[in-house]
Amino acid sequence: APYVDSFAVPPLGCNCSVIGDTESGEAVVVDPGGDVDVILQKLKANGFTCKRILVTHGHLDHVLGATELKAKTGADILMHQDDLGIYQRVAEQCRDFRVPPPPTPLAPPDAYLADGDVVQWAPDLTVRCMHTPGHTPGSMAFYFEQHKLCCPGDTMFKGSIGRTNWAGIPSLQGTSDSQQIVASIKSKLLTMDPDVKVVSGHGPATTIGAERNTISRFA
């Protein structure tokens, strides 16, 4: 049976999700920003093996735990190549957000995901990858088809959309596009079924249908 557990992790309250299959024991982890011990406990408590770490985008609060989680599970780190530059500048991001930098360099991604990729992560379960640039050049939304669950990272929130202005944040200056994020939401996210559950990068869950009117305030 499909299993989902989403919970906020340090340092900036990013929603990390453990998405599993109770029959095969396979699991993926989306955006392990921190609290790797908690993530490992949740995997172990359910008898899950984590084979893949899915990164919605390269911002520090979504990636800081990925290297440790990979070291302890052997899972592959997967993301969109267009965010590699941001991912590699994590120490500068930490400086700008006054967060302690990682003790060791981040592990490089094991593979890159492209728009339209469908990854079979358990015998009967798939995740569809959508490239949704705007908040970052390589932002991705992950749609777990059998779970009817979308993890759009920081592209869309309950009642709001992702940040594109980085005044005072030198490491992210010029990496976002306010028109692009609206186009991504309209063309990729809002075209999904209205009853699809959305677990954003921060804050409470919502549904695609509930956010259909949100975009009109930003577009």
Side-chain angles (χ1 to χ4, degrees), residues 51-212:
K51 298 269 183 77
R52 293 178 177 88
I53 297 164
L54 301 180
V55 173
T56 60
H57 63 296
H59 286 166
L60 69 105
D61 50 322
H62 297 257
V63 304
L64 278 177
T67 298
E68 183 187 348
L69 186 60
K70 173 184 168 66
K72 292 185 171 165
T73 62
D76 283 348
I77 298 173
L78 307 175
M79 63 184 288
H80 195 283
Q81 193 160 7
D82 288 356
D83 263 19
L84 183 60
I86 290 174
Y87 181 82
Q88 291 172 330
R89 290 200 303 275
V90 73
E92 292 91 326
Q93 292 184 56
C94 288
R95 175 202 66 207
D96 291 348
F97 284 93
R98 295 175 175 79
V99 167
T104 54
L106 298 189
D110 295 281
Y112 296 111
L113 298 167
D115 186 52
D117 283 357
V118 176
V119 178
Q120 187 169 359
W121 59 271
D124 302 311
L125 301 176
T126 50
V127 57
R128 184 155 52 88
C129 307
M130 295 174 279
H131 183 210
T132 53
H135 178 65
T136 67
S139 282
M140 293 213 97
F142 300 114
Y143 177 50
F144 294 87
E145 300 183 288
Q146 295 77 18
H147 291 65
K148 294 280 281 186
L149 169 72
C150 180
C151 298
D154 291 356
T155 296
M156 184 172 77
F157 304 112
K158 181 179 170 65
S160 187
I161 70 172
R163 180 175 176 181
T164 54
N165 178 356
W166 300 105
I169 308 287
S171 60
L172 297 178
Q173 213 71 58
T175 57
S176 296
D177 185 316
S178 59
Q179 288 178 305
Q180 204 177 34
I181 193 172
V182 169
S184 290
I185 292 169
K186 283 181 168 177
S187 66
K188 300 278 173 65
L189 300 182
L190 297 183
T191 50
M192 289 192 285
D193 287 346
D195 60 338
V196 169
K197 185 180 178 187
V198 177
V199 174
S200 300
H202 302 267
T206 183
T207 63
I208 292 294
E211 301 311 314
R212 290 256 160 95

